[in-house]
Amino acid sequence: MALKWQDYKTDVFVDWCPGCGNHAILAAVQVALSELGLEPHQVVFVSGIGCSGKLPHFVKAYGVHTLHGRTLPFAQGIKISNPDLEVIAVGGDGDGLGIGVGHFVNAGRRNIDMVYMIHDNGVYGLTKGQASPTLKFGLKVKSIPRENINEGINPIMIALSSGYTFVARGYAFHTKHLKDLIKQAVEHKGLAFLDILQPCPTYNDVNTKDWYEGIDRKDPDTGISKPRIYRLEETGYDPVVRNEDEKFVKIVAAMEKAREWGDRIPIGIFYKNELAPTFQDRIGQRIPFYLKNPPAKQRICDENGVPITDINLFIKEVKAE
């Protein structure tokens, strides 16, 4: 029987603020999973701390709500232990690009076959709206006393330079488009990064839903708003690396697109390269039985709970050294 989005809905009350972009992201995730035909037991969500960290509570699948900034180490460990699971790491821009930025960069080097999604609103919403690493220089949002004194970092640029092989940006309120990006990220062979622009209606009163949709800059003749958001695929942009010779050119083109902000903000897939071997591929070359018998499927005790692994030989070798 075909799965429905309701099959991924839990009974936990969704307590995000009214109008928060997270509601739309949650809907996109649930619809994407149903259209992919993934059973709840095949999927695990891993989150850190922040409003975004609550998402595993609301999706009927395996879920781990872990430490601040440590989403990726937990998620990578789960995927390496059990490559058959679809692992989706979720975090905020503060969680992933502040305290967790070291993990963000080093995950790119490994190219583990999983997904990392960042809910990007420019503020630490859960702790009353302090400026996060992605807030642009000079912006003054609701809860900071003066304009942001720091430059905002660019998640797309960091992902591209760190080695992520699928790099995309979605917008929470283009929910169907976001759903399609999530599906493509899950289906990608390698590490997929999805930066999701997610208006925070409580603390970010600059990059609002109205601002993204251009309500403040209507055409004087027609009165029609001119949205800042546009879709890369509708411009003929081609993000796919089809041979190794294209890799550098496609990364440079993606970085050029990543620099666009203000009156023109691109969403869609910036870069996609499935030619690079995944971390699982490389482990399989060193340990031939890894994919058939990964750590999570190896027996460690008998039916009575008694360990079946004899570590005496290991202890003897350690003592000898």
Side-chain angles (χ1 to χ4, degrees):
M1 188 172 66
L3 293 162
K4 305 185 291 292
W5 73 265
Q6 292 91 340
D7 294 319
Y8 303 93
K9 184 176 180 297
T10 70
D11 295 329
V12 180
F13 175 68
V14 180
D15 58 354
W16 288 318
C17 300
C20 174
N22 282 343
H23 293 280
I25 296 173
L26 173 61
V29 165
Q30 291 168 327
V31 176
L33 292 178
S34 66
E35 292 187 0
L36 287 167
L38 291 167
E39 298 282 352
H41 71 273
Q42 296 176 298
V43 183
V44 56
F45 283 85
V46 185
S47 69
I49 301 301
C51 295
S52 59
K54 300 178 181 179
L55 189 134
H57 303 187
F58 311 137
V59 181
K60 187 177 180 183
Y62 292 122
V64 183
H65 191 168
T66 182
L67 307 174
H68 197 14
R70 310 305 177 204
T71 310
L72 284 174
F74 277 82
Q76 290 172 92
I78 292 168
K79 184 66 181 183
I80 292 169
S81 298
N82 189 349
D84 291 338
L85 286 172
E86 288 293 346
V87 177
I88 302 176
V90 182
D93 42 295
D95 184 71
L97 300 171
I99 191 171
V101 72
H103 299 303
F104 181 74
V105 170
N106 283 285
R109 297 167 52 220
R110 300 188 183 101
N111 195 34
I112 293 178
D113 187 15
M114 52 174 267
V115 178
Y116 184 35
M117 304 193 310
I118 281 185
H119 300 205
D120 186 355
N121 57 26
V123 296
Y124 287 87
L126 191 69
T127 51
K128 310 302 183 191
Q130 301 90 341
S132 86
T134 59
L135 188 69
K136 306 298 184 191
F137 173 78
L139 290 190
K140 183 192 174 311
V141 290
K142 190 174 180 180
S143 70
I144 59 176
R146 299 180 64 178
E147 293 80 4
N148 185 22
I149 198 171
N150 297 312
E151 291 285 353
I153 63 175
N154 188 319
I156 301 292
M157 296 278 271
I158 297 176
L160 289 166
S161 58
S162 299
Y164 286 71
T165 51
F166 179 101
V167 180
R169 179 193 284 147
Y171 173 56
F173 293 113
H174 285 199
T175 310
K176 184 175 181 299
H177 182 260
L178 175 60
K179 176 263 297 180
D180 290 337
L181 289 178
I182 294 171
K183 288 174 64 178
Q184 292 179 77
V186 171
E187 292 175 327
H188 174 71
K189 181 176 174 290
L191 182 56
F193 171 62
L194 183 51
D195 182 39
I196 306 173
L197 303 176
Q198 175 251 317
C200 172
T202 303
Y203 292 111
N204 189 334
D205 54 351
V206 176
N207 303 128
T208 62
K209 182 173 182 288
D210 284 352
W211 182 82
Y212 282 117
E213 295 177 5
I215 302 298
D216 59 322
R217 52 178 205 148
K218 293 183 178 179
D219 186 297
D221 297 325
T222 64
I224 298 174
S225 302
K226 295 191 288 184
R228 291 180 165 86
I229 298 282
Y230 76 95
R231 300 179 183 182
L232 285 170
E233 61 271 24
E234 294 177 353
T235 67
Y237 179 81
D238 179 8
V240 180
V241 176
R242 295 181 178 79
N243 60 68
E244 286 295 331
D245 294 337
E246 287 187 337
K247 180 178 174 181
F248 180 73
V249 173
K250 291 293 175 78
I251 286 180
V252 171
M255 287 189 169
E256 282 295 318
K257 285 296 177 186
R259 294 175 63 242
E260 292 185 12
W261 190 262
D263 290 341
R264 298 270 291 167
I265 302 175
I267 61 173
I269 301 173
F270 287 69
Y271 179 75
K272 180 177 180 178
N273 178 8
E274 291 189 304
L275 303 178
T278 67
F279 193 70
Q280 290 89 333
D281 291 335
R282 283 173 270 143
I283 292 181
Q285 290 172 357
R286 293 191 182 186
I287 309 173
F289 60 83
Y290 165 66
L291 289 175
K292 291 183 179 177
N293 191 23
K297 297 184 178 180
Q298 294 176 18
R299 290 192 64 190
I300 59 172
C301 64
D302 63 20
E303 58 276 9
N304 298 314
V306 178
I308 59 175
T309 302
D310 182 1
I311 63 170
N312 288 323
L313 179 60
F314 172 72
I315 293 174
K316 189 180 295 183
E317 289 180 356
V318 171
K319 285 182 176 178
E321 291 180 359

